[in-house]
Amino acid sequence: MNEELRALYQEVIIDHGRHPRNFKKLEGYSCCQEAYNPLCGDRLTLYLKLDKDKILDASFEGVGCAISMASTSLMIERIKNIRKSEAQQLFDSFHHLVIASDSGVDVSAPLGKLNVLGGVRDFPTRIKCATLAWHALKAGLENVDHDKSVSTE
């Protein structure tokens, strides 16, 4: 990757890390999922407004490092108004992007701006920061017991 593109990616991550979008408690949410990364101390609550098979809206609250906040902010921008099945495809594609394993996972879901987080795979300790919100999303959509926090451990 050329240096100009790398600098642009860093700017997007810093911007979303310092000024996360959709950072609030969502009114009228239908799903609330907590997530915690004990390695880094990141902690967030993801709110989803669902209608049958569609994610109508999403937001989050919490504290975390710039990678965690940026990943959550970018994820929420991408998942609004999509079907749950598409969100699962995004989860698989994003996970593949940051893990970079060739496990035969269908990574056809377009990630858009989320591609800026692909460089995280070069820093294994940061992968859990980048994927925390995604695991909360997956648990929330699968109707996992919402009284329990999702953890990266």
Side-chain angles (χ1 to χ4, degrees), residues 103-122:
S103 60
V105 173
D106 176 15
V107 292
S108 60
L111 292 171
K113 287 183 190 177
L114 288 161
N115 282 303
V116 302
L117 292 159
V120 168
R121 73 179 153 269
D122 296 333

Side-chain angles (χ1 to χ4, degrees), residues 34-102:
E34 292 185 4
Y36 177 57
N37 177 357
L39 180 68
C40 183
D42 301 336
R43 185 178 298 272
L44 65 88
T45 303
L46 178 66
Y47 302 98
L48 300 171
K49 188 179 289 187
L50 307 171
D51 180 32
K52 296 179 186 170
D53 190 38
K54 193 169 187 180
I55 301 170
L56 298 178
D57 202 0
S59 71
F60 78 107
E61 294 178 309
V63 294
C65 66
I67 297 293
S68 177
M69 294 290 104
S71 180
T72 307
S73 177
L74 289 162
M75 177 193 79
I76 288 174
E77 283 188 336
R78 182 63 183 85
I79 64 167
K80 287 184 176 187
N81 293 309
I82 66 169
R83 295 194 161 314
K84 290 180 183 180
S85 59
E86 187 178 348
Q88 180 60 50
Q89 288 177 321
L90 283 170
F91 174 90
D92 293 341
S93 293
F94 184 77
H95 199 258
H96 181 80
L97 174 73
V98 297
I99 299 296
S101 68
D102 292 325

Side-chain angles (χ1 to χ4, degrees), residues 118-134:
V120 168
R121 73 179 153 269
D122 296 333
F123 304 94
T125 59
R126 307 306 288 192
I127 292 171
K128 291 180 179 185
C129 302
T131 59
L132 181 64
W134 290 88

